[in-house]
């Protein structure tokens, strides 16, 4: 408990309120933490199984969390235009020779020259600013040109982009009931500019927009070459994505909607429920359609700390790998940044707060998260009731994931 109290005080001291609106922090200081990574053995095995199953797939459905769905555009350097792809989807395009993407020391702005002079010397590096910290800056910045030259949504596994190939591809942004609905038009426009035109927002808990998926799949497969599967009358669909975004829930929702049958695959609120590529599951009779559930696969190395934190808040990375204390503090920073102050009323706070310690104290009191601790005194052992800060942080995170703190889009 003393360790938790010290960690909370340190968090408040390191990332205290800045000069932002209402005294809230304008940026979050991660305090030198490393990028969270989670790539257990079942992910590597699942990725190999997905690549083996790709030959038998007519279409791919990529499921992602609607709360981390905006992404950032990256324009290709001069002289490095992406090669036209046979299908307007995410087809990986080889980059020009390596010298087109120079090694950059940390803190240097990105520059590009397709014909650098061998004798040229780099310009002196400008003074390093205080932000971002050095541990957030990549040692080497490389550019991978995709169709549309874009950086994908936060947390989308770049290795899965290779599996898309020229097959029809649908991006399903699930859990739309937890995301800010005002951001949907902007997200759709951004994705359309990047070449991803088949996007569906869904809510598998209430079957929201799920009925749009089967007709869209049938349309895309009908207008695309099926090669060796041209004679087959059944559709085989591969469902891919990062962990805990609702892939199994989507399959169950389609099965419930079109076949009026119950669950066919296990679901859960934690990542790693599905650990292997399962057998085909029928979800529709006309047309005859089978979906294959796959395990969520993260990239072995995430790009930056903030991407890992967003994935952890949405449940794609196990909490203990990141730390409930820093996750709760980052969640409070995010809620204040988006002016989502529903937590004030829920936990009985006097006003919005930028310090995580008083918030968790109120969460513990409101939810009854206490624990008895034996204290050794001069007269013997005494049982003292203390607030359980780890349990309070977990409740804070769980309330966010259930939508009880408002509908927030993290990107």
């Amino acid at each position: 408990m003393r360790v938790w109290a010290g960690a909370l005080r340190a968090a408040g001291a390191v990332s205290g309120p800045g000069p932002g609106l209402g005294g809230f922090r304008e940026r979050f200081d991660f305090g030198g933490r490393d990028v969270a990574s989670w790539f257990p053995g079942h992910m590597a095995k699942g990725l190999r199984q997905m690549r083996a199953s790709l030959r038998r797939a007519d279409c791919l459905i990529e499921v992602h969390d609607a709360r981390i769905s905006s992404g950032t555009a990256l324009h290709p350097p001069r002289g490095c235009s992406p090669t036209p792809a046979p299908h307007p989807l995410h087809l990986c395009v080889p980059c020009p020779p390596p010298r087109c993407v120079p090694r950059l020391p940390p803190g240097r702005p990105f520059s590009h020259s397709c014909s650098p002079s061998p004798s040229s010397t780099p310009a002196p590096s400008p003074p390093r600013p205080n932000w971002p910290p050095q541990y957030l800056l990549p040692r080497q910045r490389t550019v991978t040109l995709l169709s549309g030259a874009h950086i994908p949504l936060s947390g989308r596994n770049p290795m899965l982009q290779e599996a898309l190939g020229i097959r029809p591809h649908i991006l399903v942004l699930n859990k739309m009931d937890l995301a800010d609905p005002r951001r949907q038009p902007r997200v759709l426009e951004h994705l359309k500019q990047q070449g991803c035109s088949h996007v569906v927002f869904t809510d598998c808990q209430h079957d929201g927009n799920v009925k749009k998926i089967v007709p869209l799949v049938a349309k895309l497969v009908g207008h695309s070459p099926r090669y060796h599967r041209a004679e087959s009358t059944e559709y085989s669909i591969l469902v891919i994505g990062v962990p805990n975004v609702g892939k199994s829930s989507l399959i169950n929702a389609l099965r419930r909607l079109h076949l009026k049958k119950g669950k066919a695959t296990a679901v859960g609120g934690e990542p790693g429920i599905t650990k292997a590529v399962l057998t085909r599951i029928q979800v529709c009779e006309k047309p005859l359609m089978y979906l294959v559930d796959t395990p969520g696969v993260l990239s072995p190395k995430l790009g930056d700390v903030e991407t890992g934190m967003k994935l952890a808040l949405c449940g794609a990375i196990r909490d203990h790998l990141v730390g409930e204390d820093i996750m709760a503090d980052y969640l409070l920073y995010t809620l204040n940044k988006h002016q989502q102050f529903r937590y004030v009323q829920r936990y009985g706070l006097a006003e919005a707060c930028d310090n995580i310690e008083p918030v968790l104290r109120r969460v513990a009191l409101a939810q009854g998260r206490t624990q008895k601790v034996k204290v050794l005194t001069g007269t013997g052992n005494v049982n003292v009731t203390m607030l359980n800060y780890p349990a309070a942080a977990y409740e804070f995170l769980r309330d966010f994931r259930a939508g009880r703190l408002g509908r927030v889009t993290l990107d």
Side-chain angles (χ1 to χ4, degrees), residues 324-390:
E324 290 88 347
D325 54 346
I326 190 71
M327 289 174 59
D329 194 22
Y330 182 78
L331 174 58
L332 178 63
Y333 157 78
T334 302
L335 293 175
N336 292 331
K337 177 182 176 181
H338 292 277
Q339 300 184 11
Q340 291 282 354
F341 303 121
R342 191 177 297 182
Y343 69 91
V344 176
Q345 180 181 2
R346 177 168 179 81
Y347 303 128
L349 294 168
E351 59 181 358
C353 180
D354 204 37
N355 190 353
I356 189 59
E357 185 173 3
V359 174
L360 292 186
R361 186 185 304 118
R362 292 301 308 174
V363 173
L365 292 173
Q367 303 291 338
R369 297 300 177 181
T370 59
Q371 61 182 354
K372 290 185 178 181
V373 180
K374 284 186 177 181
V375 179
L376 180 62
T377 64
T379 59
N381 294 338
V382 178
N383 290 330
V384 178
T385 301
M386 301 182 64
L387 299 179
N388 192 339
Y389 281 99

Side-chain angles (χ1 to χ4, degrees), residues 161-228:
Q161 305 299 310
E162 302 175 3
L164 296 179
I166 60 175
R167 289 166 178 78
H169 168 230
I170 298 175
L171 177 61
V172 174
L173 297 179
N174 197 24
K175 304 182 182 181
M176 70 174 186
D177 57 315
L178 303 178
D180 190 349
R182 298 171 296 181
R183 299 286 297 275
Q184 286 190 15
R186 189 190 312 177
V187 170
L188 290 174
E189 180 62 26
H190 173 79
L191 292 172
K192 185 177 180 180
Q193 293 176 359
Q194 308 307 324
C196 190
S197 56
H198 306 298
V199 183
V200 181
F201 284 88
T202 61
D203 172 17
C204 293
Q205 299 297 325
H206 305 93
D207 295 342
N209 285 348
V210 176
K211 61 182 180 181
K212 298 181 179 180
I213 295 179
V214 168
L216 182 57
V217 169
K219 176 182 176 182
L220 292 179
V221 174
H223 290 80
S224 302
R226 299 183 66 191
Y227 304 107
H228 64 285

Side-chain angles (χ1 to χ4, degrees), residues 88-406:
L89 298 176
H90 304 290
L91 177 64
C92 288
V93 178
C95 195
R99 62 179 187 148
C100 283
V101 184
R103 290 180 64 100
L104 296 179
R108 290 282 304 278
F110 179 75
S111 60
H112 184 272
S113 176
C114 282
S115 301
S117 174
S119 60
S120 62
T121 57
S125 176
R128 182 185 304 278
N130 294 330
W131 185 263
Q134 184 175 2
Y135 64 88
L136 286 180
L137 295 173
R139 294 180 179 271
Q140 178 181 358
R141 183 176 300 182
T142 58
V143 178
T144 303
L145 295 182
L146 304 178
S147 178
H150 72 111
I151 293 179
L153 316 183
S154 288
R156 286 177 71 193
N157 191 345
M159 293 187 297
L160 295 181
Q161 305 299 310
E162 302 175 3
L164 296 179
I166 60 175
R167 289 166 178 78
H169 168 230
I170 298 175
L171 177 61
V172 174
L173 297 179
N174 197 24
K175 304 182 182 181
M176 70 174 186
D177 57 315
L178 303 178
D180 190 349
R182 298 171 296 181
R183 299 286 297 275
Q184 286 190 15
R186 189 190 312 177
V187 170
L188 290 174
E189 180 62 26
H190 173 79
L191 292 172
K192 185 177 180 180
Q193 293 176 359
Q194 308 307 324
C196 190
S197 56
H198 306 298
V199 183
V200 181
F201 284 88
T202 61
D203 172 17
C204 293
Q205 299 297 325
H206 305 93
D207 295 342
N209 285 348
V210 176
K211 61 182 180 181
K212 298 181 179 180
I213 295 179
V214 168
L216 182 57
V217 169
K219 176 182 176 182
L220 292 179
V221 174
H223 290 80
S224 302
R226 299 183 66 191
Y227 304 107
H228 64 285
R229 292 185 52 81
E231 302 298 329
S232 177
T233 58
E234 63 184 35
Y235 296 163
S236 181
I237 314 300
L238 199 64
V239 182
I240 63 176
V242 300
N244 202 26
V245 292
K247 297 182 295 296
S248 300
S249 298
L250 177 64
I251 292 177
N252 291 333
L254 289 170
R255 184 177 174 86
R256 180 175 60 248
L257 186 64
H258 295 282
L259 296 180
K260 310 299 180 184
K261 293 185 178 180
K263 295 181 179 180
T265 181
V267 297
E270 294 184 354
I273 300 297
T274 304
K275 295 185 180 296
V277 175
L278 303 179
T279 57
R280 299 191 308 166
I281 302 171
Q282 184 179 353
V283 296
C284 187
E285 187 69 34
K286 294 182 180 180
L288 185 58
M289 188 175 297
Y290 293 89
L291 265 63
V292 179
D293 196 8
T294 64
V297 178
L298 286 171
S299 175
K301 185 66 174 179
L302 299 178
D304 56 80
V305 179
E306 192 159 13
T307 297
M309 193 66 66
K310 292 176 182 179
L311 289 169
L313 285 182
C314 294
I317 301 177
R318 294 190 181 275
D319 295 346
H320 70 274
L321 297 176
V322 181
E324 290 88 347
D325 54 346
I326 190 71
M327 289 174 59
D329 194 22
Y330 182 78
L331 174 58
L332 178 63
Y333 157 78
T334 302
L335 293 175
N336 292 331
K337 177 182 176 181
H338 292 277
Q339 300 184 11
Q340 291 282 354
F341 303 121
R342 191 177 297 182
Y343 69 91
V344 176
Q345 180 181 2
R346 177 168 179 81
Y347 303 128
L349 294 168
E351 59 181 358
C353 180
D354 204 37
N355 190 353
I356 189 59
E357 185 173 3
V359 174
L360 292 186
R361 186 185 304 118
R362 292 301 308 174
V363 173
L365 292 173
Q367 303 291 338
R369 297 300 177 181
T370 59
Q371 61 182 354
K372 290 185 178 181
V373 180
K374 284 186 177 181
V375 179
L376 180 62
T377 64
T379 59
N381 294 338
V382 178
N383 290 330
V384 178
T385 301
M386 301 182 64
L387 299 179
N388 192 339
Y389 281 99
Y394 176 74
E395 289 293 334
F396 190 40
L397 296 173
R398 192 168 71 168
D399 284 344
F400 164 73
R401 291 165 181 167
R404 290 188 283 266
L405 302 181

Side-chain angles (χ1 to χ4, degrees), residues 29-42:
D29 191 343
F30 292 96
R33 288 178 177 263
D34 295 329
V35 180
S37 60
W38 185 47
F39 194 74
H42 77 269

